[in-house]
Structure formats: C-alpha cells, structure tokens
Amino acid sequence: MADREHLRLELTVDLAILTVRENLLHVLLIERENEPYRGDLALPGGFLRAGEDLPDAARRELSEETALDGKELHLEQIAVYGAPGRDPRGRVVSVAYLAIAPDLPLPSAGSDARAAHWAPVDKVSGTLAFDHAAILADAVERARQRLEFTTLAAAFCGQTFTISELRNVYEAVWGMPVDPRNFSRKVASSEGFVLPADGLRVPETGRPARLYRRGPAQVLSPPLMRPTAGS
Amino acid sequence: MADREHLRLELTVDLAILTVRENLLHVLLIERENEPYRGDLALPGGFLRAGEDLPDAARRELSEETALDGKELHLEQIAVYGAPGRDPRGRVVSVAYLAIAPDLPLPSAGSDARAAHWAPVDKVSGTLAFDHAAILADAVERARQRLEFTTLAAAFCGQTFTISELRNVYEAVWGMPVDPRNFSRKVASSEGFVLPADGLRVPETGRPARLYRRGPAQVLSPPLMRPTAGS
DNA sequence: ACAAAAGTGTTCAATTTACACCCATGG
DNA sequence: CCATGGGTGTAAATTGAACACTTTTGT
C-alpha cells in the first residue's frame, strides 16, 4: 500500500449565510472575481487548509466575508456536494454550512475585497455559480425546519428583541403569516426560549413592546409547527 | 494560480447500515484486516473513486458489504467528518451515510472477505475504530428522527409486514414501548403509509395478523411523535 | 379622540391518551 | 376453555386555531 491509487481531491467549505431584512429572508452572495464563473454570483467559501478542522474553516470564511465574530453565530453543517462535474477545475467536493446572522449594519465589511451583498433568497435561483442554487435551497429548507423544532429563530435577532421581531423571523423564513396572539403565548410558554430583558422598544406607531433575550433552551418542545402543505 | 497551495486530501464513504433483529437495533460492523486499527471493529466503507458520485460510492460499498441491491434500500447522507487527526494515515475526510435494511438472512454474504456481522448499537460504543462511534451515534439519532416524520420504518421490514412488526421497529429504534392499539390506528389513518396486502401472518401464539406493504407516502403528517424526554 | 400595535382571555374543534372490550387462533 | 396477541370503540384530557377584547403609546 505504498502507492495509493485512490482519488485525491480538493475540498471547499461554502456558506449559506442567512438573515432577515425588511421582512424577507436574504442570503449573502459574492461576485466571483476569478474563473470559473467569473462575474457570477456565488455563495462565499474557500478551500480547506492543512490542519484545519471543517467547522474552523467555516468560521474563518465567515469572518473573512462578514467581519462577524464567528463564535457568536449559529453554524451548522448542511451536506456534502461531490458530483464529479460540479466544478470545472477538477474534482472539488464542497461541504456546505448554514449560518444565521442578525440583520447586519454592513454586509461586506470583511477583509476580502470582493463585493458582497444581501439578496432575497427567492430572487436568486438560477443565477448562482456551480451548484450553489441547490445548496442554497437545501440550506433554506433546513432553516425552515430548524425554526419548527429549535430556538434558532432568536439567532436572527440582535441581543434583545421583541416578540413581534421574533415572529417576523418566522413569517419571513416560512413565507407565511403567523397569528401574533397565539405566537406570543406559545413563545412565552416555551420553557427557556426567551428570557425577559429590561426596557421597551417603541415602534413607529403603537404600544411599546417588551424586550427579550435568548434563553438557554436549544430544542422546542412542543415544536412550533407550520401548517403542512401536504394535503 | 498555476500552482495551488491548498490542501489535497482523500475522501472515504462510510456506512451505518441499520436493521432490527430480535427487537433490538443492530448495525453492520466489519473487523478491520489492515492497519490502522487492525482487528478492531469499524463501519464498512472505502475510498471514493475517480469519476464516482458520492451516492454511487455509498451504493457500491453497500453492495460489496451486504450483497444487497442498493437500489432497493434507503440511503441518506448523514454528515462529513474531517477533523485533522481522525485518521492516522493522513488527511482523510469521511462522508457518512445511513442505510436501512430489513433483517437479512445472511449479514456478510458480500464479495469482500472481511468478517461482517450485526451488533446491537448500544453495545458497541467505545469499541469502534476512528471516530466511527460518533458517526454511528449521529446515524442512530437521525434514524430515530426519521421514524417520527417519515415512513422510513417500513424500510426496516420485508416486502410485506404486519402492523406489529412495524411497531416493533419503532420500539427497537426508539428504545421505548409504543401502545399497540393507538399505533395501529395512527398508521391506518396515515394516508399512504401502508397498503393492505393479501394473506395473514400467523404468530407463534395468538390471532393471525393482516399483512401490509409499503405505501407511496414519504412524509408522515401528522408525525408520529415519541414522548419528548425534554422536561 | 383616534389609529396602531402589544398583550390577554375565551371558545370550539381536533387531537392524543388511556384503557375497556371483543376477535381469532393454538394448545 | 384458556392464554396470547390482533383489532375496534370510547371517554377524558390536552392541545391548537380563531377571534373578541383590553392596554399603551403617538398624533
């Protein structure tokens, strides 16, 4: 077994960084400045380095692209994409990660010079490089599911947030309206989902809302189910 | 960019092939005949070949190890494991797949000469090569979840099966008792989960049971929830 | 006073759970 | 006729959806 005949390949880590802006789910895209797909839009990502673990590579790419402290953000592996023809440069396998960010003041303040910007997820299918449209679709579906069964929605919000803001996350990610009154009670009765914080947030019009911060719970039981489309 | 400096690595596909035998969840393990971990138990798997897609590699390994027609079996990607030190031979990244098989007459009738056998999943932790114990744990958790929300349980059964056999799958995978009477009604009222088949199956003692076969449905709505351990 | 959004209460239907009870077979 | 497991019925408890109503602010 001195000379191994099996395949050697390269591995990239690609990120689907999602946020909610103006009541719509957005994804961070970059414009590619190198071939292949030069000038096209793509998910941010890069090659794995020697000695680097996969989550570390994802956090490194995240901080390069967004100047966010990766330790604070939710980061979760989605899947591996390794079809032989997916990258014209050769055999490149991609590990896709889902990241959830609050609405950022500056989307592209990273050290990387590439133009990065937020795009609504339902406006970009078909325009992405490589198989990134499929990766994005899988990431969005994963996020939708995570909102049902975990407290991930709070990761879309800032340090403190109102119940309405949290509900806006659900409505944006699920793409459907959610009853404000039932939602409030479900969240409040979900042990450890949110904790009361000091202060109020004054909306443009109407009664000020109480502020909350993330609670310790990771899983939601019972889950917050979206109406199943299945008949 | 003529000479790329980034990491080149090798990629394996490892399989967690699960079945239910004698009311217990089992996994197919092989005894390693080469270094590293020679003589230890491990999940079956192998290196990705040139021009081969990941699911194809998983199906190839599956047929090599079990002599099962991979087209019939449920096969699903779990995750990628790529920590730098996980394989002493060098940088090897593993894509893990979950496979579900009915209880097979011969566990190791494959073309590969390695000794393969079924082992109960809760008796093998700590005895597996590489990080396969962690992979197996993730696969089992995925299977438990799939039983709640999909019709995957039927993949553990043969062509035809009784409701009791299906319930045994749930009890074995979840590791908890399920009420036979409520279970029957839930399955029967779940559109497309099972379809009636001809004939009866006579148990050792008691009334013969009707036979069913898999229905066309993939998702279960409403889901069959296991009592959450949370709270 | 009015509009708008926050938050609480209440009702009705659907679902889940627990368990009683009958059916069909072998010994 | 009895033990054993298959299968059906039903009532209580829980949960979820819909919506009326009150509270708190800015204008």
Side-chain angles (χ1 to χ4, degrees):
Chain A
M1 196 157 139
D3 196 33
R4 301 216 203 94
E5 87 293 350
H6 46 251
L7 184 62
R8 297 184 75 86
L9 46 79
E10 292 161 298
L11 199 147
T12 60
V13 171
D14 290 318
L15 294 172
I17 309 171
L18 302 183
T19 198
V20 173
R21 314 195 91 194
E22 294 154 11
N23 290 355
L24 278 180
L25 186 62
H26 285 63
V27 60
L28 189 76
L29 297 179
I30 57 143
E31 191 173 331
R32 288 187 57 81
E33 58 177 8
N34 295 319
E35 294 294 341
Y37 295 104
R38 178 171 179 164
D40 285 4
L41 293 173
L43 298 175
F47 286 96
L48 182 70
R49 296 180 181 170
E52 190 178 43
D53 199 357
L54 294 171
D56 293 337
R59 292 198 184 282
R60 173 176 55 78
E61 296 290 342
L62 186 63
S63 60
E64 285 177 5
E65 302 293 345
T66 67
L68 267 174
D69 183 11
K71 294 181 184 64
E72 291 294 320
L73 265 67
H74 176 86
L75 202 52
E76 160 180 352
Q77 195 187 100
I78 299 294
V80 203
Y81 300 83
R86 65 176 293 278
D87 191 320
R89 290 169 292 191
R91 196 63 194 268
V92 178
V93 170
S94 169
V95 181
Y97 275 82
L98 164 67
I100 303 297
D103 193 357
L104 303 172
L106 292 174
S108 59
S111 60
D112 205 314
R114 292 176 288 186
H117 68 276
W118 294 110
V121 291
D122 45 359
K123 296 283 170 54
V124 298
S125 78
T127 70
L128 266 51
F130 305 105
D131 50 2
H132 287 188
I135 295 177
L136 175 59
D138 290 348
V140 169
E141 180 50 37
R142 178 74 67 98
R144 290 196 170 121
Q145 199 183 284
R146 281 288 183 258
L147 255 58
E148 292 190 279
F149 302 108
T150 75
T151 59
L152 181 61
F156 282 96
C157 301
Q159 281 299 107
T160 62
F161 49 89
T162 68
I163 300 293
S164 279
E165 289 166 355
L166 191 64
R167 179 170 48 83
N168 268 332
V169 170
Y170 276 88
E171 294 186 328
V173 177
W174 284 353
M176 56 176 65
V178 174
D179 186 288
R181 297 151 303 183
N182 292 336
F183 181 82
S184 300
R185 244 173 301 113
K186 275 190 182 177
V187 170
S189 66
S190 228
E191 190 81 21
F193 191 174
V194 298
L195 297 173
D198 292 332
L200 300 173
R201 180 151 302 164
V202 184
E204 297 182 11
T205 169
R207 168 178 172 176
R210 286 195 279 245
L211 285 174
Y212 294 86
R213 62 182 201 277
R214 293 168 206 157
Q218 299 290 318
V219 296
L220 270 184
S221 63
L224 259 169
M225 305 259 262
R226 53 179 160 155
T228 320
S231 177
Chain B
M1 198 155 143
D3 195 34
R4 302 217 204 93
E5 87 293 350
H6 45 252
L7 184 62
R8 298 185 75 85
L9 46 78
E10 293 161 297
L11 199 147
T12 60
V13 171
D14 290 318
L15 294 172
I17 309 171
L18 302 182
T19 198
V20 173
R21 315 194 88 193
E22 294 154 12
N23 291 355
L24 279 180
L25 186 62
H26 285 63
V27 60
L28 188 76
L29 297 179
I30 57 143
E31 192 173 330
R32 288 187 57 81
E33 59 177 6
N34 295 319
E35 293 294 342
Y37 295 104
R38 179 171 181 162
D40 284 3
L41 293 173
L43 298 176
F47 286 95
L48 181 70
R49 295 179 181 169
E52 191 178 43
D53 200 357
L54 294 171
D56 293 338
R59 292 198 184 281
R60 174 176 54 78
E61 297 289 342
L62 186 64
S63 60
E64 286 176 5
E65 303 292 345
T66 67
L68 268 174
D69 184 9
K71 293 182 184 62
E72 291 294 321
L73 266 68
H74 176 86
L75 203 51
E76 160 180 351
Q77 195 188 102
I78 300 294
V80 204
Y81 300 83
R86 63 176 294 278
D87 191 320
R89 290 169 293 190
R91 195 65 194 267
V92 179
V93 170
S94 169
V95 180
Y97 275 82
L98 165 67
I100 303 297
D103 193 358
L104 304 170
L106 291 176
S108 58
S111 61
D112 205 312
R114 292 177 287 185
H117 68 275
W118 295 110
V121 291
D122 45 0
K123 295 285 170 54
V124 298
S125 78
T127 72
L128 266 53
F130 305 105
D131 50 2
H132 287 187
I135 296 177
L136 176 59
D138 290 347
V140 168
E141 180 50 37
R142 178 75 69 98
R144 290 196 169 121
Q145 198 183 285
R146 282 289 183 257
L147 255 58
E148 292 190 279
F149 302 107
T150 74
T151 60
L152 182 60
F156 281 98
C157 301
Q159 281 299 109
T160 62
F161 49 88
T162 68
I163 300 293
S164 279
E165 288 167 356
L166 191 64
R167 179 171 48 82
N168 269 331
V169 170
Y170 276 89
E171 293 185 329
V173 176
W174 284 354
M176 56 176 63
V178 174
D179 186 291
R181 299 153 298 186
N182 292 334
F183 182 81
S184 299
R185 245 173 301 113
K186 275 191 183 177
V187 171
S189 67
S190 229
E191 191 81 21
F193 191 175
V194 297
L195 297 174
D198 291 332
L200 300 172
R201 180 152 302 166
V202 184
E204 296 181 11
T205 169
R207 169 178 171 177
R210 287 193 279 241
L211 285 175
Y212 295 87
R213 62 181 202 277
R214 292 168 209 159
Q218 298 290 317
V219 296
L220 271 185
S221 64
L224 258 169
M225 306 258 262
R226 53 181 158 154
T228 320
S231 170

